[in-house]
Amino acid sequence: MPELPEVETIRRGLESFIKNAKITKVEVLCGKSFIGPKELVEGQKIKAFRRKGKALLLDLENGITMMVHLRMTGQLIFRKTGSKSTNDSFAGGHPTDSFLNELPDNQTRVIFELENGKLYFNDQRKFGFIKVLETLEVENDKFIKSLAKEPWEMSEKEFEENLMRHKSAPIKATILDQKVIAGLGNIYADEALFYAKIHPKRKTGSLTKAEIRKLLEGAKSVMEASINSGGSTMKTYVKADGTKGDYLRLFAKVFRREGEPCEKCGAEIIKIRVAGRGTHICPNCQKLVEKERK
DNA sequence: CTAGGATCCTGTCAGC
DNA sequence: TGCTGACAGGATCCTA
């Protein structure tokens, strides 16, 4: 679930709440959610909060880094000791009622006891994980090493080269590949394709240079819009009046808007299936025509 | 090497 | 109510 903007929102949130906090104890409730010896983490202060693509990197003072990948349903929730105020807590990641629940709940996988509160790693489907590794070895981690650049760092030329390794795959499948471009997931892939007016089933090899440029621009633009809207957090999950919010509505033009009119042309947004994933398009703005590549 | 489908896991929802 | 199958904001593994 959580894609680059959600992970960046968490990175910023945690940095403001627990920078330099000492981890006094780690409680692992689900073995597969925490990889490595927790003893290397206990007693250490968290010095830096970094992000690479959808991976969150927490650097400790002893040269150890915890790499967090939330995959589909991961969340990180911080609660300050003895406080009931929402200003003393932070929740980010896959938005569910766990943001509000008494914790730990049945989806809590790891608990970090800090000097100033507790940090919970929740993950309904257990696909996510926290991995202990040496800070110097982060760049050699198989996943990190294979990551392509994020759209802000990537030239059109490099994007095109990466795309064209997958000429016959549908463009949506190609941009979901983190080795092609880092950060997009199911939401922002749909949003970026809508931005560029490209049908997700188009063969990657059929895209023109102009479409490739627009797609890269769209990837940056839609993820920036999400980060700027505050991302998926407790604050966007619950509105001031106590009702449930839906942060997707703050920036998403097509994702989970099937049945609604396209804001550009008024045609009805539909949901289809591409590369095994639910996919949202405006059938009028995103036509399936194979253009010849120049 | 790529393409496409199955797979990891738990919960929810639509349709009998 | 209870069952069943489909599906879910990710990435990897397997097969062709």
Side-chain angles (χ1 to χ4, degrees):
Chain A
M1 111 17 4
E3 306 176 31
L4 186 153
E6 288 74 30
V7 180
E8 175 61 18
T9 297
I10 291 177
R11 192 196 69 73
R12 294 178 184 185
L14 292 184
E15 189 168 54
S16 75
F17 277 92
I18 60 171
K19 188 170 167 71
N20 290 320
K22 182 186 277 185
I23 300 167
T24 53
K25 187 181 167 197
V26 179
E27 198 174 339
V28 178
L29 306 180
C30 173
K32 71 170 288 189
S33 301
F34 191 91
I35 303 157
K38 65 178 188 176
E39 290 73 22
L40 289 177
V41 171
E42 288 171 329
Q44 302 302 320
K45 287 183 181 173
I46 312 174
K47 301 302 286 184
F49 299 77
R50 295 184 290 145
R51 182 187 58 69
K52 285 188 180 288
K54 302 176 194 173
L56 183 65
L57 300 165
L58 309 184
D59 297 328
L60 310 181
E61 59 184 335
N62 62 344
I64 290 294
T65 292
M66 284 195 290
M67 171 178 154
V68 184
H69 201 307
L70 301 171
R71 291 282 181 99
M72 293 282 264
T73 55
Q75 315 171 308
L76 284 168
I77 304 170
F78 173 73
R79 301 272 170 83
K80 203 165 183 173
T81 306
S83 176
K84 289 284 178 189
S85 164
T86 54
N87 290 328
D88 288 338
S89 58
F90 172 83
H94 190 236
T96 73
D97 282 346
S98 287
F99 281 4
L100 317 173
N101 282 353
E102 183 87 15
L103 295 177
D105 65 11
N106 61 344
Q107 301 183 358
T108 302
R109 308 305 178 201
V110 183
I111 306 170
F112 295 91
E113 290 186 19
L114 308 175
E115 290 169 307
N116 57 340
K118 291 187 181 182
L119 178 66
Y120 300 89
F121 174 56
N122 269 35
D123 184 16
Q124 177 187 117
R125 294 174 73 180
K126 300 184 180 177
F127 294 164
F129 58 86
I130 298 171
K131 192 167 163 184
V132 178
L133 61 171
E134 286 178 34
T135 306
L136 292 171
E137 288 299 313
V138 168
E139 300 300 326
N140 292 325
D141 177 84
K142 197 177 163 210
F143 174 76
I144 298 289
K145 210 171 178 173
S146 69
L147 273 182
K149 290 176 185 163
E150 297 183 4
W152 300 278
E153 314 303 326
M154 187 174 285
S155 68
E156 279 170 38
K157 182 170 178 289
E158 184 173 3
F159 186 41
E160 181 178 5
E161 285 168 0
N162 290 354
L163 287 175
M164 291 313 152
R165 292 202 301 264
H166 306 270
K167 284 190 194 320
S168 63
I171 183 61
K172 175 162 176 178
T174 304
I175 59 172
L176 284 173
D177 186 343
Q178 304 299 299
K179 300 176 186 65
V180 170
I181 188 166
L184 296 173
N186 210 33
I187 298 174
Y188 304 102
D190 283 3
E191 295 297 324
L193 289 166
F194 173 74
Y195 179 100
K197 297 190 186 322
I198 297 170
H199 193 289
K201 282 187 176 169
R202 287 272 304 283
K203 278 189 193 283
T204 301
S206 79
L207 266 62
T208 64
K209 284 199 191 299
E211 287 174 327
I212 290 168
R213 184 181 319 120
K214 195 80 177 164
L215 187 54
L216 184 60
E217 183 185 308
K220 290 183 241 190
S221 163
V222 299
M223 292 202 288
E224 276 167 7
S226 172
I227 293 170
N228 293 338
S229 78
S232 166
T233 66
M234 185 176 55
K235 282 188 179 1
T236 53
Y237 186 67
V238 192
K239 292 192 281 190
D241 62 2
T243 60
K244 298 281 175 67
D246 178 0
Y247 96 114
L248 285 173
R249 306 206 76 75
L250 298 174
F251 59 83
K253 312 288 189 199
V254 289
F255 195 83
R256 289 193 195 148
R257 284 184 183 271
E258 59 270 32
E260 296 179 32
C262 168
E263 77 175 39
K264 282 184 183 154
C265 75
E268 187 175 305
I269 292 163
I270 59 170
K271 185 174 179 183
I272 59 176
R273 208 153 182 85
V274 182
R277 312 291 302 270
T279 299
H280 311 74
I281 62 166
C282 168
N284 186 47
C285 294
Q286 298 164 273
K287 297 241 171 72
L288 184 53
V289 288
E290 299 286 313
K291 294 183 185 171
E292 283 310 309
R293 204 176 139 61
K294 296 245 160 75

